[in-house]
Amino acid sequence: MALALTVGLGAGCQRSVDGYYGTVTPRHPPNEVWVNNSSEPEYIDPGKCADSAGSTIIVNIFAALTQPHPKTLEPMPDIARSWKISDQGRTYTFYLRPSRWSDGRAVTAHDFEYSWKRVLDPATASKYASFLYPLENGEAFGRRALWITGLDPAVTAARIMGSVAAISPVEQVKVMPERGWAFVWLKAPPASAVVARDRVIAALNGRPLGGAGGDKPLTFKVADQSVVGARALDDLTLEVRLENPVPYFLHLVMFYTAMPVPRHVLERLVSQGQNPDLWTRPEHIVSNGPYVLKEWKFRQYMILEKNPNYWDSANIRINKVRLASVNDENTTLNLYKTGEIDYIGNNSTLPTELIDYLKPFRDYHTNAYLAVYYYWINTKVPPLTDPRVRRALGLAIDRTAIVKFIMRGGQIPWANLVPEGLAGYQGPRSPLFDPDKARALLREAGYNEQHPFPKVHLIYNTAEGHRLIAQAVQEMWKKNLGVEIDIENQEWKVYLKKQTAMDFQISRGAWIGDYPDPFTFLELLSGISGNNHSNWQHPEYERLLAESNRTLDPAARLGLMRKAEEIMLAEMPMIPLYVYTRNDLSKPYLRGFWHNIQNHSIMKYWWIDERFYRGTPDVPTEDPPPPMLLPDPPPGEEKR
């Protein structure tokens, strides 16, 4: 099929009538949409998902406190009808609207409190646990810090550190004198962390620190969920306390990790002796968003149906969404041409060799995309342990050639991690290609004709574009450095498991910004990020990121993040290649579809223009976006 399609296009076949690619007559009823979702999702559990295939499902079957405007992505009310910000930006009080789960049960503030603490709980193994570390003591619970209570307000962090360090090495101490609390993070590898904590608790629990620490006996235990700054004040009021003011917090709470899960369903499965992870299967799943999952045929399709219990269901015009699971680009393109799908999908790409051919069609779209393509480097595996080697590999890639001759979709060749201009950020401009410097670095690292560089292995997930890039990089490293690599294609879930287990040397990666701030990219390489697949940690990098989140001055904050990025680029635990653009095809009859820089396709706004059943009317290519939905005033306050 792929060969026939390519040959047909290459032969110069005629463009379709009215300048569209393929049919423009819907093949389904006007209350349906057919879309491709590319790969099988690893999870559709908001607390466990960390991949784009799963997120596309989650954001359409679950609802958060806030929702993105479909065009601008600015936060608007969703389950929270309003909110109040106090304590100089450190406290948010969310007032929920009455709403229901798809099984009719009320959605409450308790559901959000439970769900957020579930994400932070190490037992959940959420890759996005650090996403909620801005919550007061979120990191203390998430990383199982020692929790000391009963402290005299005058006790210093240095005194606590001295007492604990005599038993086990200490990473950091946080003191909360107003509560008589302190948290201590031990410097212990994961395999021995429990033993180290138990040793400290056994030695110090119920005893005074003595000296300047006072004579009062103290309680030492492991931080539990009660310390986290998120609590339901009543069924419809959620109070959230932050470690420091977070300028993008309303963006954070609309991300899928912060969406609630139905506690009553998980607990019911446990009470029945079943695995609670089965709660996302169609026979069990309960959700609170615009749609609900009704059918799931593995590696074939999913069916979503409109959720009548969603608070805004009266304004949803599409009753049924069919999501295909096709990861071959040429097959996807052929399905689109024949009308088997109306949109190639968030997670599908167009065949790179056909981009130039497809550009003139009216249903082809190119848009800016807040995402970076890169290669992960496993920095703990020789010969990639040497930063000079990693930098040499980065400098030996001709990024401009990859973008110009392989991708062809307007991507920006890029050697930094953070896209330029995000929230006013200007990072260090790294060289895109310098083979002479690359060869010098490799020689400096001790590799030459007498001591050749050993062969390394690169993995990528199934997609023609990834294969072409890997082959190009393979050739560039051989030509420019004399370095040979093996490349291997892997199915999506196998590839994800390899990354999580750090079972690779070099692996394809990409990151879509979760919110419009440089921190969303820089936090990726933090040692506490579950999405860091480099095995790289750097104390000064961590310190700068932590300080940036405590810094209120915007310019100073950006400066701290720039210094952090400079450290990362010098160490090169990943090799950025380009900033994405989004190139796709969507049928002209699919309306209410707005492109945005995060590629959020919000299905609840979609509708089918029925005029296309009777021909091809001359209609604008995009609807005007809906007005901004502003929050109601908090209770007791007048509407301005």
Side-chain angles (χ1 to χ4, degrees), residues 604-627:
K604 73 176 189 177
Y605 293 106
W606 291 0
W607 56 282
I608 299 297
D609 190 335
E610 296 187 37
R611 290 175 294 177
F612 280 85
Y613 287 99
R614 302 182 293 275
T616 53
D618 186 16
V619 296
T621 57
E622 188 177 86
D623 301 322

Side-chain angles (χ1 to χ4, degrees), residues 62-67 76-81 96-102 107 287-291 306-316 604-605 629-630 632:
F62 291 92
L65 293 170
T66 60
Q67 61 176 314
M76 303 191 299
D78 199 351
I79 300 302
R81 60 181 174 81
L96 279 58
R97 68 178 81 249
S99 61
R100 291 181 291 160
W101 292 100
S102 55
V107 177
S287 59
N288 72 323
Y291 292 91
K306 178 175 162 181
N307 177 9
N309 285 330
Y310 179 59
W311 71 270
D312 199 25
S313 67
N315 292 314
I316 297 174
K604 73 176 189 177
Y605 293 106
L629 181 62
L630 299 176
D632 292 334

Side-chain angles (χ1 to χ4, degrees), residues 19 81 138 152 170 230 333 337 373 380 382 385 493 519 530 537 573 580 617:
R81 60 181 174 81
D152 186 288
V170 173
L333 185 60
K337 185 176 184 180
Y373 190 105
K380 293 291 177 68
T385 53
K493 286 191 176 181
F519 198 83
Q537 292 188 26
Y580 278 82

Side-chain angles (χ1 to χ4, degrees), residues 312-353:
D312 199 25
S313 67
N315 292 314
I316 297 174
R317 300 167 69 172
I318 296 298
N319 291 339
K320 180 179 177 181
V321 180
R322 187 186 73 185
L323 291 140
S325 298
V326 178
N327 62 16
D328 181 81
E329 296 166 342
N330 287 293
T331 304
T332 300
L333 185 60
N334 197 48
L335 291 172
Y336 177 85
K337 185 176 184 180
T338 58
E340 289 295 326
I341 54 175
D342 307 319
Y343 165 48
I344 68 166
N346 291 5
N347 309 305
S348 300
T349 55
L350 297 170
T352 57
E353 69 273 17

Side-chain angles (χ1 to χ4, degrees), residues 263-318:
R263 179 178 187 174
H264 62 286
V265 175
L266 277 73
E267 292 181 343
R268 184 180 71 234
L269 289 173
V270 171
S271 70
Q272 295 171 349
Q274 298 190 60
N275 183 348
D277 285 345
L278 295 177
W279 79 270
T280 55
R281 300 302 304 165
E283 62 268 28
H284 298 302
I285 193 167
V286 169
S287 59
N288 72 323
Y291 292 91
V292 65
L293 175 64
K294 282 296 183 181
E295 189 176 354
W296 186 349
K297 294 291 185 183
F298 184 67
R299 290 189 177 177
Q300 296 182 53
Y301 62 84
M302 288 180 168
I303 299 293
L304 309 184
E305 290 186 1
K306 178 175 162 181
N307 177 9
N309 285 330
Y310 179 59
W311 71 270
D312 199 25
S313 67
N315 292 314
I316 297 174
R317 300 167 69 172
I318 296 298

